[in-house]
Amino acid sequence: MTERAATLSWGRYPRTRQTLFRYHDRHATLPATEYPLLPYGNGRSYGDSCLNDGGVLLHTRGLDRFIAFDAVTGVMRCEAGVLLAEILALVVPQGWFLMVTPGTQFVTLGGAIANDVHGKNHHRAGTFGAHVRCFELLRSDGSRLRCSPTENTDWFAATVGGLGLTGLIVWAEIQLRRIANPWIASETIRFGGLDEFFAVSADSDDDYEYTVAWLDCASRGAALGRGLFMRGNHAPALCATQPRAPTGRLSVPFAPPCSLINSWSLKTFNTLYYHRQRTRITRAIAHYAPFFYPLDSLLAWNRIYGRHGFLQYQCAIPGAQGHAATRELLERIAHSGMGSFLAVLKIFGAIPAVGWLSFPRPGVTLALDFPNQGPATFRLLESLDAVVATAGGAVYPAKDARMSALRFREFFPQWPHFRAYIDPRFSSSFWRRVMEE
Amino acid sequence: MRKVLIVGATSAIAEAVARLLAARGDFLYLVGRRAEMLEAIAADLRIRGAARVQTETLDINTIEHHAALLDHAAAALGGLDTVLVAHGTLSEQAACQQSVALTFQELHTNALSVIALLTLVANRFESQRAGTIVVISSVAGDRGRQSNYVYGTAKAAVSSFLSGLRQRLHQAGVRVLTIKPGFVDTPMTRDFAKNPLWAKPERVASDIVRAMEKGKDVVYTPGFWRPVMWIIKSIPERIFKSLSFL
Ligand SMILES: Cc1cc2nc3c(=O)[nH]c(=O)nc-3n(C[C@H](O)[C@H](O)[C@H](O)COP(=O)(O)OP(=O)(O)OC[C@H]3O[C@@H](n4cnc5c(N)ncnc54)[C@H](O)[C@@H]3O)c2cc1C
Ligand SMILES: NC(=O)c1ccc[n+]([C@@H]2O[C@H](COP(=O)([O-])OP(=O)(O)OC[C@H]3O[C@@H](n4cnc5c(N)ncnc54)[C@H](OP(=O)(O)O)[C@@H]3O)[C@@H](O)[C@H]2O)c1
């Protein structure tokens, strides 16, 4: 275990160094070392929740074996390092799909559980953890706990959304959903502002499995909060058009010295994107890959932000506060001139998350990314934290590299309860930051 | 559908090859020392499409078991048409220099066990007048270097043996494929510092399967190692001996 490397998370910020321990054999024990351990999936978290500066990262991608798949019931058991993309490649041709998928298929099963990830169907299906039937948790005392909604239930609730701190998930079993084909019947609706977004959303959530909106956040004044609302359902068996899976993939070869995302390119992109749709509604049958994973076709797109990386910001704001707080957030962002390239807005449903530390809660969620321009960016994000805190919301740890310890404790008041379940030999850069006194 | 015996089936490279074979619906017989790992790999390969997968736990250095191994594999798969030999160890050169026993053990695992097994396989395939023998040798066998010449010696013996075997079996319609990987990122090389010359086992595996399909003889993987090794082989010994970085 002498391999040392500078590992990056998806936001390419912060830069940390840790020793890598690569898992291949799920029967193997945890490495003997005095340094703190942290599981690492595929590094698709943006901030420092998958990093462990000065410690050891337990690389799980080598745990990539299927263990059992029942093509009749759709129950899949596999090792924790299997990518969701690998599961889909196997099960879609057999008529199955994930119950919940995040916006990239390049995440591991273990990572999806540890962040209790959500997808475009949160209002229908809840979080990823709701469909986890059981998993095995390897603790540093050598014990292997089988956790499920009925066995070791406290460990189950601590580990789902538990940020990799309770031990190593070695394998997990999930329930899949039936599909007739790989296509999605989708609609894109242009909306002129936040009021319209909330109206279209309320109108769609009963009839559409998947809903999400892209927001033009370079616009101010009357155009503030305009965007495109996307909704869709799995296509019926007798689907008229049958689009092919996309093939070619481009890759950003290296990180340019400075960000290609600046106020000019932002404004241009956002305006063009908003106006690319001429009519209010367009309909299409899409392959599931471009519908769920539009960014996956541009590999290593995170490099366009340049060497300093970027910061994601995703917050959730409960109930009645949502509308006003979202407006306030968008105004602050527009005012700062540091608009986001990709801004996403979605209504979370009422199904409670399984994990104690799970992020999703009923209300509205807003996700944005900002090139790292140093202190100005951090100041802006802190001012957004204040809005979120006042509205009783929370910021998503999977996408965070900077929230203060104070804010974290406001957003996740259940943390003292969770802390008792952290494995004594596990820690992360994120956790040390938010536990600072 | 091929009926394939894989020796050293728990190797990262072999497992990646087995996944490609499984996706074609092949029949597989997996051999290695770690029973739990073999079972985990077998279950995975069944889900990935292998028509039949069976395992056998065996230390391939126990040469007296080779004949039985081939019988078991042929019985389990209903015949045998391909053998992939992928096992290997890479002990530290410095440790080998201090121990004749370790040096002999390296030669036994990486060369003698391979030669012993292939002697039986060759006769079997020659009499059935069909079959493919695929063996993972190494670029390390192309020229002895101070950093790993014990391992390199074993791989050189294997490469030479295969070259002779290929000529002998050509008439019988039996194919012999020598695979020479460069640096591959696997558990064997866990402690090495990696650079862009290092390949992933998946890449090496797809080269191996393509070479099997095309009926190649000697394959360097990734391909750039062929010219690199050609240059290394053509440096005169008088100069080579003073090149400490190689
Ligand atoms: C383009 C893009 C779109 C995204 N869209 C969404 C979205 O729509 N919804 C959403 O919720 N998220 C989204 N994300 C975030 C991403 O889904 C999560 O960060 C996910 O957890 C990353 O998984 P990973 O396998 O890369 O894990 P990593 O990022 O490597 O690790 C994530 C966490 O899981 C822990 N972990 C990993 N493996 C294990 C294990 N075996 N046992 C225990 N703990 C483990 C780590 O310690 C860490 O705390 C998106 C990310 C990207 C890049
Ligand atoms: N990695 C490289 O850079 C590289 C380069 C050139 C060539 N190669 C060659 O590629 C082949 C595969 O290696 P790899 O890189 O995939 O390494 P690996 O993952 O370490 O695999 C080596 C395998 O050999 C098996 N093995 C060792 N001794 C054995 C024995 N006595 N009996 C049965 N099995 C035995 C081990 O299986 P068990 O532990 O289950 O017994 C192990 O899984 C080897 O021949 C190696 O020399 C590798």
Side-chain angles (χ1 to χ4, degrees), chain A residues 24, chain B residues 7-15 31-35 37-38 58-62 85-90 109-110 113-114 135-140 151 155 179-189 198-199 201 204 221:
Chain A
H24 288 273
Chain B
V7 179
T10 51
S11 117
I13 296 174
E15 187 177 7
V31 181
R33 289 174 302 184
R34 286 172 290 162
M37 188 70 162
L38 280 177
L58 182 70
D59 182 336
I60 206 67
N61 281 326
T62 56
V85 180
H87 69 277
T89 51
L90 178 57
T109 306
N110 293 313
S113 72
V114 180
V135 182
I136 308 187
S137 183
S138 170
V139 295
Y151 174 80
K155 292 298 191 183
I179 305 292
K180 295 186 177 178
F183 301 136
V184 193
D185 187 355
T186 71
M188 180 178 278
T189 50
W198 286 75
V204 169
T221 165

Side-chain angles (χ1 to χ4, degrees), chain B residues 31-195:
Chain B
V31 181
R33 289 174 302 184
R34 286 172 290 162
E36 277 180 332
M37 188 70 162
L38 280 177
E39 270 321 309
I41 293 171
D44 173 73
L45 294 172
R46 285 184 201 111
I47 294 170
R48 289 175 191 268
R52 192 180 299 171
V53 188
Q54 295 225 25
T55 66
E56 179 167 335
T57 314
L58 182 70
D59 182 336
I60 206 67
N61 281 326
T62 56
I63 285 165
E64 63 278 17
H65 291 129
H66 286 185
L69 169 65
L70 295 180
D71 289 341
H72 297 163
L77 305 185
L80 200 58
D81 53 44
T82 305
V83 174
L84 168 64
V85 180
H87 69 277
T89 51
L90 178 57
S91 295
E92 245 179 76
Q93 173 64 29
C96 291
Q97 281 163 216
Q98 297 310 316
S99 162
V100 173
L102 182 59
T103 297
F104 277 29
Q105 188 192 312
E106 277 290 284
L107 295 175
H108 202 280
T109 306
N110 293 313
L112 296 182
S113 72
V114 180
I115 290 168
L117 181 71
L118 292 188
T119 300
L120 303 187
V121 173
N123 295 343
R124 187 183 270 264
F125 282 2
E126 190 174 41
S127 60
Q128 70 188 31
R129 297 196 69 75
T132 302
I133 296 171
V134 186
V135 182
I136 308 187
S137 183
S138 170
V139 295
D142 278 11
R143 188 162 197 177
R145 290 177 301 125
Q146 61 181 343
S147 58
N148 65 358
Y149 63 80
V150 171
Y151 174 80
T153 299
K155 292 298 191 183
V158 168
S159 295
S160 278
F161 185 85
L162 293 173
S163 169
L165 203 60
R166 179 177 303 112
Q167 242 185 350
R168 167 187 152 202
L169 297 177
H170 180 64
Q171 290 308 323
V174 175
R175 288 174 11 204
V176 177
L177 170 57
T178 309
I179 305 292
K180 295 186 177 178
F183 301 136
V184 193
D185 187 355
T186 71
M188 180 178 278
T189 50
R190 173 173 282 171
D191 293 339
F192 289 65
K194 309 293 188 300
N195 60 41

